[in-house]
C-alpha cells in the first residue's frame, strides 16, 4: 500500500509531494486538470522591487523537481469520493480506486459568483475563467470586457488582461440584492481595498490612504469618490457605479451601469449602457472543502479565511487519523503560503509514518508559514491572522476535549 | 429583466424571486430552502449557486458556524453509474 495520496497538484500539493518523496515516502498525486500547477498557472504579477511572479514558470519548476524525483502524478482524474476503511484511505477517482495510509487534501479554492440579471448569458464568465483562458490557454475571452466585483483577485486579473492587450472597459460593483452582500456596498469595498493600497498606489494617492484610516475621512472618501472611477493601470475602477443588468439577446452585448449612494442604493435616472463582448463576475474565493466534508472532519465558518474550513492544527493535521490539509482548503491566501503549508504537511505525514523527522524541523516549517504570511504581497483578507488565531482556538478546544475522553 | 426573474440555480431553473419568496414565507434554513425549491439539487450539485442559496437563507436565519451549510454528499463530481460499480485496485 502507498504511504500517501495527495489530491490537488497546485502549489500546496506539489510542494508536499516533493517534500514527502525527498523523505522516502511512496506518493501518488491526483488532479482533475490536465496540467499540474493548479491556480499557479494563471498567476502573473509584479512584486515589490520589480521582479515578476510568473505562475507558469513556478509550476514548471515544481513539475521538473517532481519529475527528477520520479513522482507518480496522474492528471485528468476527478476524485468523487473518499473514505477511511480499516485505518487506510480509499480514494475513488472516475472508475479507479486508490488506497494509501495517509491522505492530503490540497484541493484549493473555488470562486463565488455575484448574481446580476443577465448573468446566464453566453459571454459571462467567472474572473478566474478569464484568467485561465488568457494566461493558460492564450485565448482572448473577448475584445472588450467589464469586470463586476472589485476585490484583490479581480484587480490582479484585470491587470493580467491588460498585459494581454484585452481592453477592460471598467471594474464596477455588482448591484445590491440579497445575494451580493457586502461586495455591493461601496463603503465596505473601499475599506477592504485600503488594506491592499500598496498594490494600486494610483487609486489611493488622490485620497491619501493614511488619512483614510479615520472613519470620517473614509465616509468623505467614498462620498467624493469620482463617479467615473479612478484609473488603475488605465482601467477605470468604479466604486460609485454598479452594474444593474447585463445586456444582450443571444450573448453579452453590454452592461447597464448606474450611480449608487455610499451604501449601494441606485440613484434613479443615472443609468447608462456601455458596450462589451464579455463580462467577468468576481465574488471572491472560498475554500474548496467538499472532499473533507465527506469524512466527518469538523468544520468552522471563519470569515477571515473565506468560509467553512476543516479543523486543522498548525502542522496541518486534522482530527482524523491519516488525514491532512494544505493550501487554500485551509483558508484563502497566496501561493507562497500554500507552498509552505504543503511542506509542513509532508513533514507531519512523514513523522506520523515513523520517519525520522526532528521536532525542530517541523516547528521551523510551521514558523516558515507565518513568516511567509507576514511577508505576503497579496493578502486576500486583511484580518487573516485573526482568522488563523480563531481556528487555533477551536483546535485547542477540540484537543482538550479529546484528552478528557482519553483520561 | 428584473432580479425576480433572474435564474439563480441554472440546473433546476430556480429564480431569485422564487427563492426569496420561499425564504420569507417559511423562514427557511439553506437546507430547507434547497428542499422546497430544488435549488442546488441539479446536475452540478450546487457548485454554481451554493453560496447564493446560502446568502438568501441567511437573511432569515442565523449561521451555525460549526455546521457546513448545504451538506456535501458523494459523488462530489458527476460520474457514470457504470463507473460507480467498478472496483479496480491498482
Amino acid at each position: 500500500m502507498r504511504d500517501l495520496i495527495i489530491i490537488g497538484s497546485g502549489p500546496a500539493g506539489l510542494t508536499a509531494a516533493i517534500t514527502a518523496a525527498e523523505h522516502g515516502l511512496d506518493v501518488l498525486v491526483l488532479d482533475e486538470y490536465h496540467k499540474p500547477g493548479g491556480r499557479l498557472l494563471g498567476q502573473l504579477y509584479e512584486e515589490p522591487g520589480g521582479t515578476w511572479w510568473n505562475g507558469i514558470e513556478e509550476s514548471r519548476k515544481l513539475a521538473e523537481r517532481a519529475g527528477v524525483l520520479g513522482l507518480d502524478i496522474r492528471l485528468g482524474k476527478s476524485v468523487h469520493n473518499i473514505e477511511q476503511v480499516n485505518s487506510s484511505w480509499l480514494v475513488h477517482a472516475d472508475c479507479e480506486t486508490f488506497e494509501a495510509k495517509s491522505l492530503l487534501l490540497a484541493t484549493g479554492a473555488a470562486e463565488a459568483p455575484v448574481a446580476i440579471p443577465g448573468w446566464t448569458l453566453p459571454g459571462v464568465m467567472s474572473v478566474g475563467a478569464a484568467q485561465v483562458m488568457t494566461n493558460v490557454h492564450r485565448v482572448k475571452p473577448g475584445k472588450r470586457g467589464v469586470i463586476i466585483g472589485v476585490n484583490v483577485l479581480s484587480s490582479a486579473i484585470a491587470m493580467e488582461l491588460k498585459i494581454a492587450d484585452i481592453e477592460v472597459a471598467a471594474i464596477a460593483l455588482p448591484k445590491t440584492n440579497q445575494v451580493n452582500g457586502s461586495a455591493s456596498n461601496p463603503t465596505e469595498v473601499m475599506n477592504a481595498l485600503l488594506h491592499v493600497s500598496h498594490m494600486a498606489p494610483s487609486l489611493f494617492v488622490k485620497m491619501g490612504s493614511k488619512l483614510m484610516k479615520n472613519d470620517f475621512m473614509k465616509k468623505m472618501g467614498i462620498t467624493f469618490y469620482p463617479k467615473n472611477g479612478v484609473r488603475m493601470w488605465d482601467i477605470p475602477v468604479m466604486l460609485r457605479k454598479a452594474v444593474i443588468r447585463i445586456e444582450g439577446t443571444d450573448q453579452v452585448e453590454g452592461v447597464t451601469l448606474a450611480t449608487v449612494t455610499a451604501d449601494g442604493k441606485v440613484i434613479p435616472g443615472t443609468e447608462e449602457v456601455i458596450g462589451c463582448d464579455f463580462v467577468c463576475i468576481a465574488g471572491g474565493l472560498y475554500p474548496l472543502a467538499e472532499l473533507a466534508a465527506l469524512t466527518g472532519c469538523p468544520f468552522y465558518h471563519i470569515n477571515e479565511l473565506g468560509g467553512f474550513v476543516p479543523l486543522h492544527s498548525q502542522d496541518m493535521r486534522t482530527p482524523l487519523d491519516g488525514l491532512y490539509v494544505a493550501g487554500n482548503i485551509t483558508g484563502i491566501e497566496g501561493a507562497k503560503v500554500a507552498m509552505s503549508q504543503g511542506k509542513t504537511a509532508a513533514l507531519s505525514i512523514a513523522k506520523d509514518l515513523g520517519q525520522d523527522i526532528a521536532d525542530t524541523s517541523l516547528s521551523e516549517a510551521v514558523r516558515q508559514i507565518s513568516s511567509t504570511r507576514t511577508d505576503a504581497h497579496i493578502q486576500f483578507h486583511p484580518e487573516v491572522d485573526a482568522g488563523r488565531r480563531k481556528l487555533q482556538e477551536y483546535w485547542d478546544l477540540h484537543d482538550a476535549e479529546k484528552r478528557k475522553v482519553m483520561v | 429583466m428584473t432580479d425576480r426573474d433572474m435564474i439563480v440555480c441554472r440546473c433546476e431553473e430556480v429564480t431569485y424571486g422564487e427563492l426569496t419568496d420561499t425564504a420569507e414565507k417559511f423562514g427557511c434554513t439553506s437546507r430547507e430552502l434547497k428542499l422546497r425549491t430544488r435549488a442546488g439539487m441539479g446536475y452540478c450539485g450546487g457548485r454554481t449557486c451554493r453560496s447564493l442559496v446560502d446568502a438568501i437563507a441567511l437573511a432569515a436565519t442565523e449561521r451555525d458556524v460549526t455546521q457546513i451549510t448545504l451538506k456535501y454528499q458523494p459523488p462530489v463530481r458527476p460520474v457514470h453509474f457504470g463507473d460507480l460499480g467498478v472496483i479496480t485496485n491498482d
Side-chain angles (χ1 to χ4, degrees):
Chain A
M1 195 197 309
R2 280 195 181 80
D3 294 318
L4 170 64
I5 294 173
I6 299 174
I7 305 177
S9 73
L14 280 184
T15 308
I18 290 167
T19 311
E22 285 169 348
H23 286 83
L25 302 193
D26 178 11
V27 186
L28 169 69
V29 182
L30 301 173
D31 195 296
E32 69 183 342
Y33 201 54
H34 59 87
K35 284 182 185 180
R39 296 291 300 167
L40 261 182
L41 292 171
Q43 295 175 3
L44 182 66
Y45 60 85
E46 193 174 0
E47 296 188 301
T51 53
W52 283 77
W53 175 261
N54 180 347
I56 291 181
E57 185 56 26
E58 297 301 323
S59 336
R60 197 191 53 76
K61 279 192 243 167
L62 287 172
E64 209 171 85
R65 178 74 188 129
V68 170
L69 291 162
L71 272 166
D72 187 358
I73 301 178
R74 306 207 193 166
L75 302 169
K77 285 254 171 259
S78 288
V79 174
H80 57 80
N81 195 12
I82 55 176
E83 45 185 346
Q84 190 178 27
V85 178
N86 303 330
S87 74
S88 74
W89 286 93
L90 295 184
V91 173
H92 304 284
D94 301 329
C95 53
E96 279 179 279
T97 297
F98 304 97
E99 190 177 2
K101 293 175 200 155
S102 31
L103 176 60
L104 171 61
L105 300 176
T107 47
E111 284 190 85
V114 292
I116 309 282
W119 76 306
T120 45
L121 279 169
V124 181
M125 64 193 79
S126 77
V127 76
Q131 183 189 41
V132 169
M133 282 178 81
T134 308
N135 292 355
V136 183
H137 300 287
R138 308 289 164 128
V139 173
K140 290 185 178 185
K143 291 192 179 73
R144 187 174 199 255
V146 169
I147 297 176
I148 308 176
V150 186
N151 53 48
V152 176
L153 184 71
S154 69
S155 318
I157 297 176
M159 190 203 60
E160 295 175 9
L161 293 174
K162 175 98 189 154
I163 293 170
D165 203 23
I166 298 161
E167 187 185 352
V168 179
I171 310 178
L173 301 175
K175 66 165 292 183
T176 300
N177 58 27
Q178 270 191 48
V179 294
N180 293 339
S182 60
S184 60
N185 182 304
T187 308
E188 289 190 38
V189 171
M190 193 187 68
N191 288 346
L193 284 180
L194 285 174
H195 293 275
V196 292
S197 55
H198 64 283
M199 281 180 64
S202 62
L203 187 56
F204 295 96
V205 163
K206 270 189 202 163
M207 304 190 288
S209 71
K210 285 212 175 68
L211 288 174
M212 305 291 285
K213 306 278 183 220
N214 166 312
D215 277 348
F216 175 72
M217 286 306 291
K218 280 183 193 164
K219 178 89 185 134
M220 297 302 280
I222 198 65
T223 306
F224 293 109
Y225 190 89
K227 298 290 181 290
N228 286 324
V230 172
R231 283 180 179 264
M232 172 175 73
W233 305 300
D234 213 31
I235 301 166
V237 179
M238 297 172 172
L239 295 183
R240 288 296 302 280
K241 281 190 186 178
V243 174
I244 58 169
R245 225 171 20 249
I246 301 168
E247 308 289 352
T249 319
D250 297 320
Q251 61 185 62
V252 171
E253 292 165 25
V255 300
T256 299
L257 286 168
T259 303
V260 292
T261 61
D263 57 356
K265 287 194 189 67
V266 170
I267 300 171
T270 59
E271 295 86 353
E272 57 178 316
V273 178
I274 61 170
C276 61
D277 62 353
F278 75 103
V279 166
C280 301
I281 50 174
L285 297 167
Y286 66 91
L288 186 60
E290 47 195 0
L291 288 172
L294 299 179
T295 65
C297 177
F299 269 82
Y300 290 94
H301 190 276
I302 299 178
N303 256 333
E304 296 87 342
L305 299 181
F308 280 100
V309 292
L311 182 62
H312 61 275
S313 63
Q314 287 180 321
D315 43 22
M316 314 320 287
R317 293 178 168 106
T318 73
L320 279 75
D321 283 338
L323 185 68
Y324 307 80
V325 287
N328 271 358
I329 187 176
T330 75
I332 305 305
E333 297 197 69
K336 289 179 187 172
V337 173
M339 287 169 165
S340 56
Q341 289 178 321
K343 182 178 172 186
T344 306
L347 292 176
S348 293
I349 294 163
K351 192 175 172 65
D352 293 348
L353 288 174
Q355 299 279 329
D356 187 20
I357 305 289
D359 284 338
T360 48
S361 48
L362 192 51
S363 59
E364 169 57 25
V366 171
R367 205 194 52 74
Q368 197 75 45
I369 299 175
S370 22
S371 64
T372 309
R373 177 172 300 134
T374 311
D375 297 341
H377 174 51
I378 293 179
Q379 206 64 276
F380 286 87
H381 196 290
E383 303 297 333
V384 66
D385 268 325
R388 292 288 170 198
R389 280 196 297 277
K390 275 187 204 171
L391 189 73
Q392 186 59 37
E393 282 166 25
Y394 287 129
W395 176 265
D396 292 341
L397 220 64
H398 183 89
D399 215 34
E401 288 290 316
K402 202 164 118 188
R403 277 170 217 278
K404 249 190 274 173
V405 174
M406 283 167 75
V407 172
Chain B
M1 187 196 266
T2 62
D3 266 352
R4 285 194 62 78
D5 309 320
M6 169 173 79
I7 297 276
V8 169
C9 170
R10 299 165 190 226
C11 305
E12 295 289 322
E13 298 190 347
V14 187
T15 62
Y16 178 86
E18 212 177 323
L19 284 163
T20 49
D21 288 351
T22 309
E24 198 178 332
K25 187 170 171 193
F26 298 100
C28 292
T29 60
S30 310
R31 177 171 159 76
E32 187 182 344
L33 188 55
K34 174 184 89 169
L35 295 174
R36 284 187 182 277
T37 62
R38 287 202 57 81
M41 293 176 77
Y43 178 81
C44 87
R47 276 195 281 162
T48 309
C49 69
R50 147 182 297 271
S51 64
L52 307 176
V53 174
D54 210 23
I56 291 171
L58 278 176
T61 54
E62 281 281 305
R63 181 189 290 291
D64 176 354
V65 298
T66 68
Q67 288 295 323
I68 211 160
T69 31
L70 298 175
K71 188 180 169 212
Y72 288 101
Q73 300 194 82
V76 297
R77 289 288 179 278
V79 57
H80 293 287
F81 271 121
D83 290 346
L84 268 181
V86 179
I87 305 288
T88 52
N89 287 307
D90 72 329

